[in-house]
Amino acid sequence: MISQGTIKETALKLMEKAAIEIPDDYLSGLKKAAAAEDGDLSSFVLHAMLENYEAAKEDRRAMCADTGVPRWYVKMANEARIDGGPIALEASLRGATAESTNGVPLRPNRVHPLWRTDHNNNCGIGAPEIEYSFEPDGEWIDLTTVHKGGLFGTDYRMLFPGDGIAGIKRFYLDSLIAFGKRGLACQPAIIGVGLGGSKDISMVLGKQAACLRTVDDRNPDPKIAALEIELKDLGNSIGMGAMGFVGKSMVIDCHIEVGYCHTGGMPMSVHAFCLSSRRAVARIHGDGRVQYRTDPAWFTPYMRRETVTWEPTAEPSRKSI
Amino acid sequence: MGTDSGTLKKINLNVPVTLDDLKAIEIGNVVYLNGVVYTAREGVYQRVIEDGWKLPDDFASISNANFHCSPAAVRDADGSYRVGAMTGTASFRFSKWLARWFEVSGARIIIGKGGMTFDDYKKYFVPVGAIYLTTVGYGTGALLGRGIKKVRDVRWYDELGIAQAMWMIEVENFGPFIADSDLAGNSLFERENAKIKGNIDKLYEGTKPPALHRYGETDDRSEELI
Ligand code: SF4
């Protein structure tokens, strides 16, 4: 049985880690980009960012004052049992979000869309979002918090099969350039592309592809993996770098996730996970042990299953972490 | 102190700034500030310009540098303030208030995210002798947080909340910022956009727009989606 005390304490620590510590995979991706960048202005920006991550860690202060919109992803293994059930779990996650807003401190970012009511704690109707997924074996739960920034950098479009790969590339370029000018998307970013699903799922897949997969992780479908690399290179060939200055670092990595869609359509979304790619993960085991990491390991073979039922394979369904 | 500016020229300014200080600024310079800087955005603009709320006396002699941002800050039980990080917010949306704001506040430096349009510079900045500094990244919140010596005053905290209140902060080596505009109204962002345009045109050569268009993207109401 996993206790609420452990969940709350872990969630508080995750909020702080996400806000302050840039994940290693993004950091090394950005270092590579900085080494290759030759535009003088873009290169200055990347070096300032690298210094900013250090300052945040040294001073234990938020790396970016824009909190973005803190949200939670919960993955539950099939045998996990939670004290107080899902209602208590959600209360702990909301509680940790509110407390760390004052603790770290984080800027309260969440307001009512019409009345602009601000509870000064990043909680409200539908906030923070909590999404769930499940895994076949185990007694653990994985908690991931993502503080995704960006009023800009995300877009959706209904494409059709006839638009083809060329249409995908065109809309990808449209989004990158639209939000890349003046650096509105705070690039270089991890770009997530959601293909298929229904409209809402296409958006969800794109956001999860950006926020829940690490730099250099490839889609298991080799053709999609090749397209990821092609799109990454395409983004970096625009001639635009950080803040929209002349340069070549636009995309640290590109991740594509797909879902089956209506036979007549091909919905597509594009999401940019910015220079403050904030995510933190912990696994809470059934016996109360807690392990922290930065790879959400969200997209598992089980998540991407195509069959009617799940046939346990020889391979473990979750990737090893 | 501050990030190695590489080949870019680095300038320190004391706030309030004078016209002579600003004459030395060229677009693309890296700028650090010392003195007092305040935040003001839609909440303050609306109240001061439209509802007639009063700024402190001699406001421009305390500070003439307006930062478009909200800090990651908290008011502790003893009434003191803790500021963690500071990050600019996109300035383009505040353009409609700027002419009046320059008049009532005496601001000569606007700091924010992403600059404003060339037209805004010509219409509002050049006539009063003001320039625009953009934050860097834009996520350099921790570096800016380090430049804060203390919170001098917070106006309208109860009325406007943390994000929209006017934070007056004493800063030292506060930066880095990049000069997007100069006194002549040149814009670094627009210069860079123009440089990249040729390559973008080449990338798009031979690509086709999607089968389904979007209504409302132009003002032509006779348009169809297919
Ligand atoms: S997009 Fe990211 S780096 Fe940019 S201001 Fe928002 S949270 Fe900060």
Coordinates of all heavy atoms in Angstrom, one line a residue, chain A residues 46-83:
Chain A
L46 N 22.6 31.0 -26.2 CA 22.8 29.6 -25.7 C 23.8 29.6 -24.5 O 23.5 28.9 -23.5 CB 23.3 28.7 -26.8 CG 22.3 28.6 -28.0 CD1 22.8 27.5 -29.0 CD2 20.9 28.2 -27.5
H47 N 24.8 30.4 -24.6 CA 25.7 30.4 -23.4 C 25.1 31.0 -22.2 O 25.3 30.6 -21.1 CB 27.1 31.1 -23.8 CG 27.9 30.2 -24.6 ND1 28.1 30.4 -26.0 CD2 28.6 29.1 -24.3 CE1 28.8 29.4 -26.5 NE2 29.2 28.6 -25.5
A48 N 24.3 32.1 -22.4 CA 23.6 32.7 -21.3 C 22.7 31.6 -20.6 O 22.5 31.5 -19.4 CB 22.8 33.9 -21.7
M49 N 22.0 30.8 -21.5 CA 21.1 29.8 -20.9 C 21.9 28.8 -20.1 O 21.4 28.4 -19.0 CB 20.4 29.1 -22.1 CG 19.2 29.9 -22.7 SD 18.1 30.6 -21.5 CE 17.5 29.2 -20.6
L50 N 23.0 28.3 -20.6 CA 23.8 27.3 -19.9 C 24.2 27.9 -18.6 O 24.2 27.2 -17.5 CB 25.0 26.9 -20.7 CG 24.7 26.1 -22.0 CD1 26.0 25.9 -22.9 CD2 24.1 24.7 -21.6
E51 N 24.6 29.2 -18.5 CA 24.9 29.8 -17.3 C 23.7 29.9 -16.3 O 23.8 29.7 -15.1 CB 25.4 31.2 -17.6 CG 26.5 31.6 -16.6 CD 27.0 33.0 -17.1 OE1 27.8 33.0 -18.1 OE2 26.7 34.0 -16.5
N52 N 22.6 30.1 -17.0 CA 21.3 30.2 -16.2 C 21.0 28.9 -15.4 O 20.6 28.9 -14.3 CB 20.2 30.7 -17.1 CG 18.9 31.0 -16.3 OD1 18.8 31.9 -15.6 ND2 17.9 30.1 -16.5
Y53 N 21.2 27.8 -16.1 CA 20.9 26.5 -15.5 C 21.8 26.3 -14.3 O 21.4 25.8 -13.2 CB 21.1 25.3 -16.4 CG 20.3 25.4 -17.7 CD1 20.9 25.0 -18.9 CD2 19.0 25.8 -17.7 CE1 20.1 25.0 -20.1 CE2 18.2 25.8 -18.9 CZ 18.8 25.4 -20.1 OH 18.1 25.5 -21.2
E54 N 23.1 26.7 -14.4 CA 24.0 26.6 -13.3 C 23.5 27.5 -12.1 O 23.5 27.1 -11.0 CB 25.4 27.1 -13.7 CG 26.1 26.1 -14.6 CD 26.2 24.7 -14.0 OE1 26.5 24.6 -12.8 OE2 25.9 23.7 -14.7
A55 N 23.2 28.8 -12.5 CA 22.8 29.7 -11.4 C 21.5 29.2 -10.7 O 21.4 29.2 -9.5 CB 22.4 31.1 -12.1
A56 N 20.6 28.6 -11.4 CA 19.4 28.1 -10.8 C 19.7 27.0 -9.8 O 19.2 26.9 -8.7 CB 18.4 27.5 -11.9
K57 N 20.6 26.1 -10.2 CA 21.0 24.9 -9.4 C 21.8 25.4 -8.1 O 21.5 25.0 -7.0 CB 21.8 23.9 -10.1 CG 20.9 22.9 -10.8 CD 21.7 21.8 -11.4 CE 21.8 22.0 -12.9 NZ 22.5 21.0 -13.7
E58 N 22.7 26.3 -8.4 CA 23.5 26.8 -7.3 C 22.7 27.5 -6.2 O 22.8 27.4 -5.0 CB 24.6 27.8 -7.8 CG 25.9 27.2 -8.1 CD 26.8 28.2 -8.8 OE1 26.8 29.4 -8.4 OE2 27.4 27.9 -9.8
D59 N 21.8 28.4 -6.7 CA 21.0 29.2 -5.8 C 19.7 28.5 -5.4 O 19.0 29.1 -4.6 CB 20.6 30.6 -6.4 CG 21.8 31.4 -6.9 OD1 22.9 30.9 -6.7 OD2 21.5 32.5 -7.5
R60 N 19.4 27.4 -5.9 CA 18.1 26.7 -5.7 C 17.0 27.7 -6.0 O 16.0 27.8 -5.2 CB 18.0 26.1 -4.3 CG 19.0 25.1 -3.9 CD 19.1 23.9 -4.9 NE 18.0 23.0 -4.9 CZ 17.9 22.1 -5.9 NH1 18.8 21.9 -6.8 NH2 16.8 21.3 -5.9
R61 N 17.0 28.3 -7.2 CA 15.9 29.2 -7.6 C 15.4 28.7 -8.9 O 16.1 28.0 -9.7 CB 16.3 30.7 -7.6 CG 17.4 31.0 -8.5 CD 17.6 32.5 -8.7 NE 18.6 33.1 -7.8 CZ 18.3 34.2 -7.1 NH1 17.1 34.8 -7.1 NH2 19.3 34.7 -6.4
A62 N 14.1 29.0 -9.2 CA 13.5 28.6 -10.5 C 14.4 29.1 -11.6 O 14.9 30.2 -11.7 CB 12.1 29.2 -10.6
M63 N 14.5 28.2 -12.7 CA 15.4 28.6 -13.8 C 14.7 29.6 -14.6 O 15.3 30.5 -15.2 CB 15.7 27.3 -14.7 CG 14.6 26.6 -15.3 SD 15.2 25.2 -16.2 CE 14.8 23.8 -15.1
C64 N 13.3 29.6 -14.7 CA 12.6 30.6 -15.5 C 11.5 31.1 -14.6 O 10.8 30.2 -13.9 CB 12.0 30.0 -16.8 SG 11.1 31.2 -17.7
A65 N 11.2 32.4 -14.5 CA 10.2 32.9 -13.7 C 8.8 32.6 -14.2 O 7.8 32.7 -13.5 CB 10.4 34.4 -13.5
D66 N 8.7 32.3 -15.5 CA 7.4 31.9 -16.0 C 7.2 30.4 -15.7 O 7.9 29.5 -16.2 CB 7.3 32.1 -17.5 CG 5.9 31.8 -18.1 OD1 5.2 31.1 -17.4 OD2 5.6 32.4 -19.1
T67 N 6.3 30.2 -14.7 CA 6.1 28.8 -14.2 C 5.6 27.9 -15.3 O 5.6 26.7 -15.2 CB 5.1 28.8 -13.1 OG1 5.6 29.9 -12.2 CG2 5.0 27.5 -12.3
G68 N 5.0 28.5 -16.4 CA 4.3 27.6 -17.4 C 3.1 27.1 -16.7 O 2.5 27.8 -15.8
V69 N 2.6 26.0 -17.1 CA 1.4 25.4 -16.5 C 1.8 24.0 -15.9 O 1.9 23.1 -16.6 CB 0.2 25.3 -17.4 CG1 -0.5 26.6 -17.5 CG2 0.6 24.9 -18.8
P70 N 2.1 24.0 -14.6 CA 2.5 22.7 -14.0 C 1.4 21.7 -14.1 O 0.2 22.0 -14.0 CB 2.7 23.1 -12.5 CG 2.9 24.6 -12.5 CD 2.1 25.1 -13.6
R71 N 1.7 20.5 -14.5 CA 0.8 19.4 -14.6 C 1.4 18.1 -14.2 O 2.6 18.0 -14.0 CB 0.3 19.3 -16.1 CG 1.5 19.1 -17.0 CD 1.0 18.6 -18.4 NE 0.1 19.6 -19.0 CZ -1.0 19.2 -19.7 NH1 -1.2 18.0 -20.0 NH2 -1.7 20.1 -20.3
W72 N 0.5 17.1 -14.1 CA 1.0 15.8 -13.6 C 0.6 14.7 -14.5 O -0.5 14.7 -15.1 CB 0.3 15.5 -12.2 CG 0.8 16.4 -11.1 CD1 0.3 17.6 -10.7 CD2 2.0 16.2 -10.4 NE1 1.0 18.1 -9.7 CE2 2.1 17.3 -9.5 CE3 3.0 15.3 -10.3 CZ2 3.2 17.5 -8.6 CZ3 4.1 15.4 -9.4 CH2 4.1 16.5 -8.6
Y73 N 1.5 13.7 -14.6 CA 1.2 12.5 -15.3 C 1.4 11.3 -14.3 O 2.5 11.3 -13.7 CB 2.2 12.3 -16.5 CG 2.0 13.3 -17.6 CD1 2.8 14.5 -17.6 CD2 1.1 13.1 -18.6 CE1 2.6 15.5 -18.6 CE2 0.9 14.1 -19.6 CZ 1.7 15.2 -19.6 OH 1.5 16.2 -20.6
V74 N 0.4 10.5 -14.2 CA 0.5 9.4 -13.3 C 0.4 8.1 -14.1 O -0.5 7.9 -14.8 CB -0.7 9.5 -12.3 CG1 -0.6 8.3 -11.3 CG2 -0.7 10.8 -11.5
K75 N 1.4 7.3 -13.9 CA 1.4 5.9 -14.5 C 1.3 4.9 -13.3 O 2.1 4.9 -12.4 CB 2.6 5.7 -15.3 CG 2.4 4.5 -16.3 CD 3.7 4.1 -17.0 CE 3.9 4.9 -18.3 NZ 2.9 4.6 -19.3
M76 N 0.2 4.1 -13.4 CA 0.0 3.1 -12.3 C 0.2 1.7 -12.8 O -0.3 1.3 -13.8 CB -1.4 3.2 -11.8 CG -1.6 4.5 -11.0 SD -3.4 4.6 -10.5 CE -3.4 3.3 -9.3
A77 N 1.1 1.0 -12.1 CA 1.2 -0.4 -12.5 C 0.0 -1.1 -11.9 O -0.7 -0.7 -11.0 CB 2.5 -1.0 -11.8
N78 N -0.4 -2.2 -12.6 CA -1.7 -2.9 -12.4 C -1.9 -3.3 -10.9 O -3.1 -3.3 -10.5 CB -1.8 -4.1 -13.3 CG -3.2 -4.5 -13.5 OD1 -4.1 -3.6 -13.6 ND2 -3.5 -5.8 -13.5
E79 N -0.9 -3.7 -10.2 CA -1.1 -4.1 -8.8 C -0.9 -3.0 -7.8 O -0.9 -3.3 -6.6 CB -0.1 -5.3 -8.5 CG 0.0 -6.4 -9.6 CD -1.3 -7.0 -10.0 OE1 -2.2 -7.0 -9.2 OE2 -1.4 -7.3 -11.2
A80 N -0.7 -1.8 -8.2 CA -0.4 -0.7 -7.2 C -1.7 -0.5 -6.4 O -2.8 -0.4 -7.0 CB 0.0 0.5 -7.9
R81 N -1.5 -0.3 -5.1 CA -2.6 0.1 -4.3 C -2.3 1.4 -3.5 O -1.2 1.5 -2.9 CB -2.9 -1.0 -3.2 CG -3.4 -2.4 -3.9 CD -4.8 -2.2 -4.5 NE -5.1 -3.4 -5.3 CZ -5.0 -3.5 -6.6 NH1 -4.4 -2.6 -7.3 NH2 -5.3 -4.7 -7.2
I82 N -3.2 2.3 -3.6 CA -2.9 3.6 -3.0 C -3.8 3.9 -1.9 O -5.1 3.8 -2.0 CB -3.1 4.7 -4.1 CG1 -2.1 4.5 -5.2 CG2 -3.0 6.1 -3.5 CD1 -2.4 5.4 -6.4
D83 N -3.2 4.3 -0.8 CA -4.0 4.6 0.4 C -4.9 5.7 0.1 O -4.5 6.8 -0.3 CB -3.0 5.0 1.5 CG -3.6 5.4 2.8 OD1 -4.7 4.9 3.1 OD2 -3.0 6.3 3.5

